[in-house]
Amino acid sequence: EPYRAGVVVACKRVSHRSAERALERRSRLRRGRGAVVGMSRDSNYDHHITIFSSAGKLYQVEYAIRCAQTASGLTSVAARGKSAVVLVTQKKVPDRLVDPSSVTNIFKVTEKLAVLMTGLPADCRAAVTRLRYEANEFKFQYGYAMPVASLAKRIADISQVYTQKASLRPLAAICILGAVDDERGPQIFKVDPAGHFFPYHATAAGAKESEANNFLEKKVDDLQAYDTDQTIRYAIAALQSVLSADFKSTEIEALVLDGGQRARTLTDREIDAHLNVLAETDL
């Protein structure tokens, strides 16, 4: 009898210790899970584009903007002077086997309206196709060319709709629209994947966007008095300054919209002439 009682007591002690250890393991596991949940709480909101985080953010939209700025590795600059709009960007050919003439980030939407795209190449082409469709549909319906402000608002509205539905994905592309309006003169509008659009005197997009904007802000007050050549050199100088590089004419591309003339892409010889002037002067 005493032996049996001792065995029962020993078993109870063992079971009690096992229970304590199990409880301790559970508490540790819960604390660990709580820490993991606390650390990854915000990441749970980036699975769907339509879900706001507790901080009031749409992470998929932010990811699309970040992708548009950094995916291509390019920096683009746009500036408007007294009578002209200038769009300038880097030109990088991805492969030596690719025809360099087929690589561009500046597109003509209409004869007197152009867009500078920054982001994923496929998304940029899709956005350009939609811009051309909207501009030509407007002209077909109303009989006159679509104003650049109306086109910017239209494409911004479409971009914003892409953030409302889980079945859609925002385009990782930033559009900088330029044109010379008959009433308001030179105009620049910038549209991002979230649907924001604003008019600018000068702006930049891409990998070195903030540095380029800082450069452009220094002479924004003098920009309104610049003629076409000065505006071109100002935009190229901004690109050279933020990238700390002396470009060759084949490494950048530029488009000019001057007065009532058609959009015109600068040739390598014209770009070389502006680069030579910049090398001799300090803008």
Side-chain angles (χ1 to χ4, degrees):
E1 292 295 335
Y3 174 76
R4 291 182 180 178
V7 171
V8 171
V9 171
C11 290
K12 287 182 178 180
R13 289 177 181 174
V14 172
S15 62
H16 182 66
R17 290 176 184 173
S18 300
E20 287 181 347
R21 290 174 182 172
L23 289 173
E24 186 177 355
R25 285 197 297 269
R26 289 179 183 176
S27 63
R28 288 179 181 175
L29 185 59
R30 288 175 181 174
R31 287 196 298 269
R33 286 178 178 174
V36 172
V37 170
M39 294 174 61
S40 62
R41 182 176 297 171
D42 289 340
S43 64
N44 291 332
Y45 295 98
D46 65 358
H47 297 161
H48 297 283
I49 194 172
T50 56
I51 298 177
F52 284 94
S53 72
S54 56
K57 297 181 178 181
L58 287 173
Y59 286 106
Q60 288 294 330
V61 177
E62 293 185 3
Y63 297 160
I65 295 174
R66 189 183 308 168
C67 179
Q69 292 173 338
T70 61
S72 63
L74 305 179
T75 301
S76 306
V77 175
R80 73 184 201 194
K82 180 172 61 177
S83 61
V85 172
V86 178
L87 307 177
V88 180
T89 186
Q90 294 174 263
K91 183 174 183 177
K92 291 184 179 180
V93 181
D95 195 315
R96 294 182 63 183
L97 298 177
V98 176
D99 183 3
S101 63
S102 66
V103 179
T104 182
N105 291 294
I106 303 177
F107 302 88
K108 295 179 182 178
V109 179
T110 64
E111 292 181 351
K112 299 181 180 181
L113 193 154
V115 62
L116 172 56
M117 302 299 302
T118 307
L120 292 177
D123 286 7
C124 290
R125 287 194 296 270
V128 170
T129 300
R130 187 60 185 262
L131 282 165
R132 289 170 174 167
Y133 168 80
E134 295 294 338
N136 286 281
E137 184 69 15
F138 184 94
K139 186 173 183 179
F140 177 78
Q141 289 185 2
Y142 301 104
Y144 62 95
M146 189 175 192
V148 62
S150 300
L151 183 57
K153 182 179 184 303
R154 175 60 180 163
I155 203 67
D157 290 343
I158 295 171
S159 298
Q160 202 279 328
V161 170
Y162 281 18
T163 68
Q164 298 179 15
K165 298 180 180 180
S167 60
L168 299 175
R169 176 180 69 82
L171 296 179
I174 297 175
C175 310
I176 300 178
L177 295 161
V180 179
D181 191 80
D182 294 336
E183 298 178 358
R184 300 182 179 180
Q187 296 286 302
I188 292 176
F189 284 86
K190 184 177 178 181
V191 185
D192 67 11
H196 297 110
F197 79 101
F198 294 99
Y200 287 86
H201 295 293
T203 188
K208 299 285 186 178
E209 178 179 343
S210 57
E211 293 89 341
N213 284 330
N214 290 335
F215 180 92
L216 295 171
E217 287 175 1
K218 295 178 181 178
K219 294 190 177 182
V220 67
D221 295 331
D222 302 330
L223 187 59
Q224 304 306 310
Y226 281 2
D227 59 20
T228 303
D229 289 338
Q230 289 175 316
T231 308
I232 295 171
R233 293 166 193 160
Y234 177 69
I236 296 176
L239 207 58
Q240 284 184 327
S241 175
V242 299
L243 296 173
S244 302
D246 294 328
F247 292 111
K248 298 179 181 178
S249 60
T250 56
E251 295 175 343
I252 60 175
E253 55 179 333
L255 182 140
V256 179
L257 297 135
D258 190 0
Q261 300 177 8
R262 296 183 178 183
R264 182 174 62 87
T265 302
L266 296 184
T267 63
D268 290 345
R269 182 176 297 179
E270 289 175 314
I271 294 175
D272 265 331
H274 290 296
L275 291 174
N276 292 334
V277 173
L278 286 173
E280 297 172 358
T281 59
D282 188 12
L283 187 61

